[in-house]
Amino acid sequence: MLTNNQMGQPQKPIAAEQPLLSLGRVLQSLKEEDNVEVLIEITIAYLIEQCNYQLIWIALYDRLNHKLCGKGGSTPDGDTSFLQQCLALNPGDLLEQVVIEQCPLGVADLRRESRAASWLDIAVKFQIQGTVILPIRYRDYCLGVVLLGSHRWGYLLPTEVKARLQMVLGELGTVLYHNEMDLQQKQTKRPNEPLLRLLNNLSPLSNLDQRLKAVIEVTHQFVSPSRTSIYWFEPQGHYFWCRMSSQMVNMSRNSSSQQAAAGMTVQDLNDFYYALAVNQIVCIGEARSSLKSHFTGKLLKRLQVRSLLAAPILWQKDLLGFLAVEEHEPRIWTETDKSFVQGAAGLISLIAPTDNMESTIKKIQQDTQLTNQVAQAIYNEHDLHETLHICAKRVLERLTATRFVLLQLDPDHNNYQVLYQSSPHNRRSWTFALNALSEIDRRLLQRATQAIEIENFDEDLRFSHWHPLLLENGVRSLLVCNCVQGHTPEAILIITHENHRAWTTLEKEFLWVVSQQIGVIVRQWQLRTTSSQQQKISQTFAQCLGILAQAQNSITKAEEQHLERAALEKIATILDCPLAVLLSWSPGENWAEIVLGVRANSWFGIVADVPVSIQSEALIGWALGHEGYLSLKADDLPPETRKWLNVPDNSQVLVMALRTPGDYQPTGVVLLADYRARRWSEPSLSATVTLVSQLAWWRRSLQITQHLESTTEELRQLNWYKNRRLEEIQRMVSLLLGQINDLGIPANELTQTRYQLLLRQLNQTTTSMNGMIKLEQWQLHLSWETMPIASLLKRSLERVENLLKKQKLWVGVHGLGQPIEERESHKNISFLRGAVSPSNQSAIAIAGDIVKIELVIHELLVAACHRSQDGSRIDIWCRRIDERLLEMSITDNGAIDSQLLTNLYNNTPQDLLAPSNLDQPPGLHLLICQQLMQQLGGELHLYQLPDERVVSRLLLPLAPQNA
């Protein structure tokens, strides 16, 4: 228990409490002191007392000059003169790093640190090694640094010491910051009073130049820049010129002073100009700019300054110029400077219009009078071209513009056609159409209540769809008006200029009134456009009918599709749609063929390899079940249709069946597709329906013609075949009868047996002739049987034996005794060796209608004999191509007509009525053989080798091995 004496006597603090007590005292002292010098002394005394460092330096940061100003410290020898100097901060220095990053930094040996060049001599002199640099900061605001140097190597601070130092420096930073803010507030200039005095002083002055001079003097006195200037804007020239300056007063454009007025084009300083045009103040100071760095450098170079503060001078949203305060050295502009310059520029905006008030009123009166004249011309003139000529002439004179253009929307082509234009005689007229507007531009024009101004068309993003053509034709600035306010822009008035220029509010208001008046006569031009459209439909009609009239004779499938595509192109021309397709089929077929006529846009197309079923395809079913045409949206198409038809979601599809009156079945469906925004006129749709009906009639006529030709071809084949068969039968009967006559009356049993055999053969021959007459009365009957190729060749050669002997021709047969080329893998070698003997090769059999194949071979041998000269040779080559086909080539050295080979190769005469070598033997016989072989599953080709030998190449189907 403590006694009273013990309780009343204060105890001495223990050693561990001494640092905390010192910390509390110094913090209290810093809070109670306002003088900066005393604050620095308190901090230095605390650092000497609590920190065992031989070098202590405190410096405050000069933000404007980017340097540290020394405020004192301690050194080993007591000389602190060096600690009072100011050190400039350079990139890469340790001191600058601490100021910028506001974080402590340590150095193990200051004597060897190249990034602290200004401290090397001191470090060597006092043998300073371990060094710590601490920032003095308040939040993100750096106020100075503290440098602590020691003779020891290394820079680690004990945790307790570091914590106390941060508390002391933090409190010092807080006090210094508030002192600085209080000082700035006391030194802040008040722009209100000078501006009020300036406003009072402007009233007695008589003209604008005197008032501008007063504004420059007051502004120059308040802001204290190197130069204060007023720049005036010239809209038509699109440049600024220096009207007045604190160094050169009253710099008029017409002044005869020795030094000309300075000027700046808007094209060189776009960002600067646009910032002023939207009433923004432009501030360019030390390391800061409200413009992009590229334009900042160009502007400062042009004005030959390093800092600039510019405020716009505006009247009725028109830029008159700007007030600029300029500095030759880097400077940070205060908010007070900005407010005063902006207020002074506002005063100029109020007083500038009064100087030209009379001329402005006169110009408004002239605009009103000119508008009335334009209105009278519109309503009084009967010739529309002359009416627009008067309007264009007066508008171009008033606006000093280059070109007057009136555009009209063409809904069929979805673009803008030039309805009328006026330009100087040395300028080419526009012969092109402008693309449709984007949705943004369309809404911009529809909502506009005045002319839309574009000063620099090169860089403006509006009307981007027109940029390439207009820029190519020299348009650099323009005014655009929708001739019917609040409606979709169908008639648009454009005024262009070859140079970048600004347009005043009065000019835009004048053009807007004229454009609304012009909108009244656009309807008359629309009637004229409708008449032109009718003429175009009539021309397309005639062209389409001319295309279909070309197919009066037999044509191939490829030619038929070519004409169908040409007809689709003309049909698509009437509606001007990017996709035209024909789904074609013949009666009895289940799948439709896709014929692509027009694909003018990559967004529209078809997938050709997708089969289209006639029974299940929705588009075909809808078209067949609907009279006339049917219009659908892309959203209505089922997924199965979208598999082969590629159209955007915002498109429309028109389908119509190829239908002819009566009970005739449709043979196709025409499909046309375009964007849903396109509006198809009734005359265009009516013409389309008529042409589609005409196409249906043409296809029916063509199919009938092809059917008749096919029937004729079959009858010709049948006639040839019967004649050849009857000739053979007649030969066989004659031969048999001759043999019977040679035998005479049979006298013995052997003769009677021979006699009965001949009678049996004669009976078989007669029976085969009866079968031909019954089975093949009106069409060929294709039977299926097999025969060894050797037997077939033997019989064929026997039939031409007399012809061979007569012409002394030698026939060689090659390939029957040669082994088949081994095509199988090595695992089947043993099987092949047993199957390639000459006996097996000669047993190869062909399959099909042997009688007809034999007749074809006979016809080829007869033709070869007739071509060949007496004593020449004919070679027959047999080669097995694969498991299905056998190649037989008959070569001879005879002469053949090259035109015959060409016609046989094309397989179609150009004109059925014109004379052709395929209308009579031997061409007719060879053509029939060629067509017949195609029906039998083989092929026949005739051609000539380089050594002039003629080759008749037959591909015959082989019989299966188990047949």
Side-chain angles (χ1 to χ4, degrees), residues 255-280:
S255 175
S256 59
S257 60
Q258 294 181 355
Q259 187 169 4
M264 298 180 296
T265 62
V266 172
Q267 187 176 1
D268 294 335
L269 304 169
N270 279 341
D271 278 18
F272 176 68
Y273 168 73
Y274 290 128
L276 296 176
V278 295
N279 199 21
Q280 291 182 1

Short mmCIF file of all heavy atoms in Angstrom, two decimals, residues 255-280:
data_model
loop_
_atom_site.label_atom_id
_atom_site.label_comp_id
_atom_site.label_asym_id
_atom_site.label_seq_id
_atom_site.Cartn_x
_atom_site.Cartn_y
_atom_site.Cartn_z
N SER A 255 -5.36 47.11 -92.92
CA SER A 255 -4.38 48.06 -92.39
C SER A 255 -3.14 48.05 -93.27
O SER A 255 -2.71 47.03 -93.80
CB SER A 255 -4.00 47.66 -90.95
OG SER A 255 -2.97 48.50 -90.48
N SER A 256 -2.53 49.23 -93.42
CA SER A 256 -1.31 49.36 -94.23
C SER A 256 -0.06 49.37 -93.38
O SER A 256 0.98 49.84 -93.81
CB SER A 256 -1.40 50.64 -95.09
OG SER A 256 -1.53 51.77 -94.22
N SER A 257 -0.16 48.88 -92.18
CA SER A 257 1.01 48.84 -91.30
C SER A 257 2.05 47.91 -91.87
O SER A 257 1.77 47.00 -92.64
CB SER A 257 0.60 48.39 -89.89
OG SER A 257 0.02 47.12 -89.96
N GLN A 258 3.27 48.13 -91.51
CA GLN A 258 4.37 47.35 -92.06
C GLN A 258 4.26 45.89 -91.68
O GLN A 258 4.59 45.01 -92.46
CB GLN A 258 5.71 47.93 -91.58
CG GLN A 258 5.97 49.33 -92.12
CD GLN A 258 7.31 49.84 -91.65
OE1 GLN A 258 7.99 49.20 -90.86
NE2 GLN A 258 7.70 51.01 -92.15
N GLN A 259 3.79 45.61 -90.50
CA GLN A 259 3.68 44.22 -90.05
C GLN A 259 2.27 43.72 -90.31
O GLN A 259 1.29 44.25 -89.80
CB GLN A 259 4.02 44.10 -88.57
CG GLN A 259 4.08 42.63 -88.12
CD GLN A 259 4.66 42.53 -86.74
OE1 GLN A 259 4.93 43.53 -86.11
NE2 GLN A 259 4.86 41.31 -86.27
N ALA A 260 2.13 42.68 -91.14
CA ALA A 260 0.81 42.16 -91.50
C ALA A 260 0.20 41.40 -90.34
O ALA A 260 0.87 40.97 -89.42
CB ALA A 260 0.92 41.24 -92.72
N ALA A 261 -1.13 41.26 -90.39
CA ALA A 261 -1.84 40.56 -89.33
C ALA A 261 -1.53 39.07 -89.39
O ALA A 261 -1.45 38.48 -90.46
CB ALA A 261 -3.34 40.78 -89.48
N ALA A 262 -1.36 38.48 -88.24
CA ALA A 262 -1.10 37.04 -88.16
C ALA A 262 -2.38 36.28 -88.43
O ALA A 262 -3.46 36.72 -88.07
CB ALA A 262 -0.56 36.69 -86.77
N GLY A 263 -2.29 35.12 -89.10
CA GLY A 263 -3.46 34.32 -89.43
C GLY A 263 -3.22 32.85 -89.19
O GLY A 263 -2.08 32.37 -89.27
N MET A 264 -4.30 32.11 -88.94
CA MET A 264 -4.24 30.66 -88.71
C MET A 264 -5.42 30.02 -89.41
O MET A 264 -6.56 30.45 -89.21
CB MET A 264 -4.28 30.32 -87.21
CG MET A 264 -3.12 30.87 -86.42
SD MET A 264 -3.26 30.42 -84.67
CE MET A 264 -4.75 31.31 -84.24
N THR A 265 -5.19 29.01 -90.24
CA THR A 265 -6.27 28.30 -90.90
C THR A 265 -6.87 27.26 -89.96
O THR A 265 -6.16 26.65 -89.16
CB THR A 265 -5.77 27.62 -92.18
OG1 THR A 265 -4.78 26.65 -91.83
CG2 THR A 265 -5.18 28.63 -93.14
N VAL A 266 -8.17 27.06 -90.09
CA VAL A 266 -8.86 26.06 -89.27
C VAL A 266 -8.39 24.66 -89.60
O VAL A 266 -8.31 23.79 -88.75
CB VAL A 266 -10.38 26.19 -89.47
CG1 VAL A 266 -11.12 25.04 -88.79
CG2 VAL A 266 -10.86 27.52 -88.93
N GLN A 267 -8.05 24.42 -90.87
CA GLN A 267 -7.63 23.08 -91.29
C GLN A 267 -6.39 22.62 -90.55
O GLN A 267 -6.22 21.43 -90.27
CB GLN A 267 -7.38 23.08 -92.80
CG GLN A 267 -7.10 21.70 -93.37
CD GLN A 267 -6.96 21.73 -94.87
OE1 GLN A 267 -7.06 22.79 -95.48
NE2 GLN A 267 -6.73 20.58 -95.47
N ASP A 268 -5.52 23.55 -90.21
CA ASP A 268 -4.30 23.19 -89.47
C ASP A 268 -4.57 22.92 -88.01
O ASP A 268 -3.80 22.19 -87.36
CB ASP A 268 -3.26 24.32 -89.60
CG ASP A 268 -2.77 24.45 -91.04
OD1 ASP A 268 -2.85 23.45 -91.78
OD2 ASP A 268 -2.34 25.55 -91.41
N LEU A 269 -5.62 23.53 -87.47
CA LEU A 269 -5.86 23.44 -86.01
C LEU A 269 -7.32 23.05 -85.77
O LEU A 269 -8.09 23.81 -85.18
CB LEU A 269 -5.53 24.78 -85.35
CG LEU A 269 -4.10 25.30 -85.58
CD1 LEU A 269 -3.97 26.72 -85.11
CD2 LEU A 269 -3.09 24.42 -84.86
N ASN A 270 -7.69 21.86 -86.23
CA ASN A 270 -9.09 21.45 -86.13
C ASN A 270 -9.58 21.37 -84.70
O ASN A 270 -10.64 21.88 -84.35
CB ASN A 270 -9.27 20.08 -86.81
CG ASN A 270 -9.40 20.24 -88.32
OD1 ASN A 270 -9.69 21.31 -88.82
ND2 ASN A 270 -9.15 19.16 -89.04
N ASP A 271 -8.81 20.68 -83.84
CA ASP A 271 -9.24 20.49 -82.45
C ASP A 271 -9.43 21.83 -81.74
O ASP A 271 -10.37 22.01 -80.96
CB ASP A 271 -8.22 19.63 -81.70
CG ASP A 271 -8.44 18.15 -81.97
OD1 ASP A 271 -9.13 17.85 -82.95
OD2 ASP A 271 -7.92 17.31 -81.21
N PHE A 272 -8.52 22.76 -81.96
CA PHE A 272 -8.60 24.07 -81.35
C PHE A 272 -9.87 24.79 -81.80
O PHE A 272 -10.61 25.36 -80.99
CB PHE A 272 -7.35 24.88 -81.73
CG PHE A 272 -7.36 26.29 -81.24
CD1 PHE A 272 -7.29 26.59 -79.89
CD2 PHE A 272 -7.46 27.35 -82.14
CE1 PHE A 272 -7.31 27.90 -79.43
CE2 PHE A 272 -7.47 28.66 -81.70
CZ PHE A 272 -7.40 28.93 -80.34
N TYR A 273 -10.16 24.71 -83.11
CA TYR A 273 -11.34 25.39 -83.64
C TYR A 273 -12.63 24.78 -83.10
O TYR A 273 -13.55 25.51 -82.69
CB TYR A 273 -11.31 25.33 -85.17
CG TYR A 273 -12.61 25.74 -85.81
CD1 TYR A 273 -13.01 27.08 -85.85
CD2 TYR A 273 -13.46 24.79 -86.37
CE1 TYR A 273 -14.20 27.46 -86.42
CE2 TYR A 273 -14.66 25.17 -86.95
CZ TYR A 273 -15.02 26.50 -86.98
OH TYR A 273 -16.21 26.87 -87.55
N TYR A 274 -12.73 23.46 -83.11
CA TYR A 274 -13.97 22.81 -82.67
C TYR A 274 -14.21 23.01 -81.18
O TYR A 274 -15.35 23.07 -80.73
CB TYR A 274 -13.94 21.33 -83.02
CG TYR A 274 -14.04 21.07 -84.50
CD1 TYR A 274 -13.12 20.26 -85.15
CD2 TYR A 274 -15.05 21.65 -85.25
CE1 TYR A 274 -13.21 20.03 -86.51
CE2 TYR A 274 -15.15 21.44 -86.61
CZ TYR A 274 -14.24 20.62 -87.24
OH TYR A 274 -14.33 20.41 -88.59
N ALA A 275 -13.13 23.09 -80.40
CA ALA A 275 -13.30 23.37 -78.97
C ALA A 275 -13.90 24.76 -78.77
O ALA A 275 -14.80 24.96 -77.95
CB ALA A 275 -11.97 23.24 -78.25
N LEU A 276 -13.42 25.74 -79.53
CA LEU A 276 -13.97 27.10 -79.42
C LEU A 276 -15.41 27.14 -79.92
O LEU A 276 -16.25 27.85 -79.35
CB LEU A 276 -13.11 28.08 -80.21
CG LEU A 276 -11.66 28.28 -79.73
CD1 LEU A 276 -10.91 29.20 -80.67
CD2 LEU A 276 -11.63 28.83 -78.31
N ALA A 277 -15.70 26.39 -80.99
CA ALA A 277 -17.04 26.44 -81.58
C ALA A 277 -18.11 25.93 -80.63
O ALA A 277 -19.28 26.34 -80.73
CB ALA A 277 -17.07 25.64 -82.89
N VAL A 278 -17.75 25.02 -79.72
CA VAL A 278 -18.73 24.50 -78.75
C VAL A 278 -18.59 25.22 -77.41
O VAL A 278 -19.00 24.70 -76.37
CB VAL A 278 -18.57 22.98 -78.58
CG1 VAL A 278 -18.90 22.27 -79.87
CG2 VAL A 278 -17.16 22.61 -78.10
N ASN A 279 -17.99 26.42 -77.43
CA ASN A 279 -17.91 27.30 -76.26
C ASN A 279 -17.08 26.68 -75.13
O ASN A 279 -17.44 26.75 -73.95
CB ASN A 279 -19.31 27.65 -75.74
CG ASN A 279 -19.30 28.88 -74.85
OD1 ASN A 279 -18.36 29.69 -74.90
ND2 ASN A 279 -20.31 29.03 -74.01
N GLN A 280 -15.93 26.10 -75.49
CA GLN A 280 -15.00 25.57 -74.50
C GLN A 280 -13.75 26.45 -74.47
O GLN A 280 -13.24 26.86 -75.51
CB GLN A 280 -14.58 24.13 -74.84
CG GLN A 280 -15.69 23.10 -74.69
CD GLN A 280 -15.20 21.70 -74.99
OE1 GLN A 280 -14.03 21.50 -75.29
NE2 GLN A 280 -16.10 20.74 -74.91
#
